[in-house]
Amino acid sequence: MAAATATRTLFSPSVPCVGCKPQTSLPCCEASRQAFLGGKSLRFARSHPDSSCKSNRMCVRAVADKPVKQSQRQLWFASKQSLSYLDGSLPGDYGFDPLGLMDPEGPGGFMEPPWLIYGEIINGRYAMLGAVGAIAPEILGKLGLIPQETALPWFKTGVFPPAGTYNYWADPYTLFVLEMALMGFAEHRRAQDYYKPGSMGKQYFLGLEKFLGGSGNPAYPGGPLFNFLDLGKDEKSLQDLKVKEVKNGRLAMLAIVGYFIQAMVTGVGPFQNLLDHLADPVHNNILTNLKIH
């Protein structure tokens, strides 16, 4: 799988790195660019001890992965351009990239392919947790498993917009500030691990640092904390799980968008929307809710 851990990726053949000693006739960065286009993984390459890269850019090295043959792939609205750099070696890669975001020669700054690959996985995981967390109180309340005063739609428990109607051990604004601080700390450490894989295993963290060393791939750290069920013991099952995770993450991100739209249009939670539709699908659907009928 082409999962990159480089901090910055150089895809410009016209700017070779000073001090690089390639084993081919191409500069190392051009070789890395071609390797990425061919579906090989990108790994962070430490600077040469005797080099001083005047362009202040990082080089990467490529580790071979087997690209998927086009005839064996399922494609979703793929174009000739997208298939020139999306070769099926990424989990959930179906050649779909209408905006060309994954084109290694197109984007710049932080919008580089390695960061986008990593970002989709992380945001998909957050969305899966969020989608379940947003609808769970409604379901549990309907089943009588939690008190009705806490079985609130997700948009009535927060501060955006300020529609909170229930105070837990603190008011919604205090909880929001606390959550921002805790998430900021967690995101800072995650960013450190992305730019310097394995660095969290070297920083003291209440004795847990021995579990935070990771696998060298920030998107899939593994270990007893992040893979406590020891899933994906062999390469085939691991790849299957990666594809399923990406697919479900994409669905969850769309579901979160749907939650927002449903809340604004109907004024009730997603579970109540489902119950209303099942009770009367003719008069409770997207067309009637949007007054398109």
Side-chain angles (χ1 to χ4, degrees):
M1 190 213 48
T5 58
T7 58
R8 296 188 65 193
T9 309
L10 177 60
F11 291 120
S12 175
S14 61
V15 189
C17 286
V18 177
C20 292
K21 298 177 181 179
Q23 296 179 353
T24 69
S25 58
L26 294 171
C28 72
C29 298
E30 167 63 3
S32 297
R33 184 186 74 87
Q34 292 188 3
F36 182 85
L37 294 178
K40 299 180 180 179
S41 301
L42 299 179
R43 305 289 184 187
F44 178 71
R46 299 293 180 186
S47 300
H48 298 291
D50 58 344
S51 66
S52 58
C53 192
K54 294 181 180 178
S55 62
N56 192 28
R57 298 190 177 188
M58 297 289 184
C59 284
V60 293
R61 69 173 184 267
V63 179
D65 277 330
K66 283 186 176 181
V68 179
K69 292 182 179 179
Q70 298 293 356
S71 59
Q72 300 174 351
R73 295 179 63 188
Q74 182 181 359
L75 301 176
W76 297 348
F77 301 100
S79 66
K80 183 177 180 181
Q81 175 67 12
S82 67
L83 292 178
S84 68
Y85 51 83
L86 294 176
D87 63 357
S89 57
L90 287 169
D93 172 12
Y94 300 99
F96 181 79
D97 188 21
L99 300 180
L101 297 178
M102 284 292 293
D103 190 338
E105 295 183 343
F110 71 95
M111 293 290 287
E112 293 178 342
W115 177 256
L116 292 172
I117 296 168
Y118 179 71
E120 180 183 37
I121 295 170
I122 298 300
N123 282 281
R125 291 169 182 168
Y126 280 150
M128 286 187 281
L129 290 172
V132 174
I135 200 173
E138 273 194 277
I139 297 175
L140 295 176
K142 296 291 185 183
L143 296 175
L145 299 178
I146 61 174
Q148 287 302 309
E149 59 267 24
T150 62
L152 300 171
W154 65 270
F155 55 87
K156 291 186 178 181
T157 60
V159 296
F160 287 118
T165 59
Y166 183 81
N167 290 336
Y168 295 88
W169 54 270
D171 63 273
Y173 290 95
T174 300
L175 288 175
F176 174 74
V177 173
L178 178 61
E179 289 171 358
M180 288 291 290
L182 293 175
M183 282 301 298
F185 174 73
E187 286 293 281
H188 174 69
R189 289 182 61 86
R190 186 173 65 80
Q192 285 181 307
D193 186 63
Y194 174 79
Y195 289 114
K196 294 183 179 180
S199 60
M200 295 299 96
K202 301 175 183 178
Q203 297 182 15
Y204 175 75
F205 189 66
L206 304 176
L208 298 175
E209 61 274 4
K210 60 183 177 180
F211 302 114
L212 303 176
S215 63
N217 185 344
Y220 303 100
L225 290 182
F226 301 103
N227 187 17
F228 52 88
L229 296 178
D230 196 23
L231 301 174
K233 294 182 179 180
D234 57 86
E235 187 63 23
K236 185 180 183 304
S237 63
L238 181 62
Q239 293 301 320
D240 288 343
L241 289 172
K242 288 180 179 180
V243 172
K244 291 177 181 179
E245 180 185 43
V246 169
K247 286 183 175 181
N248 284 281
R250 291 168 179 169
L251 287 174
M253 287 187 278
L254 290 174
I256 291 294
V257 175
Y259 285 5
F260 275 85
I261 296 174
Q262 284 178 302
M264 292 186 292
V265 173
T266 67
V268 297
F271 188 61
Q272 186 60 51
N273 285 144
L274 176 62
L275 295 179
D276 293 342
H277 174 71
L278 294 176
D280 188 1
V282 175
H283 296 95
N284 293 289
N285 53 64
I286 187 172
L287 298 179
T288 57
N289 286 333
L290 295 176
K291 309 301 182 185
I292 306 176
H293 58 85

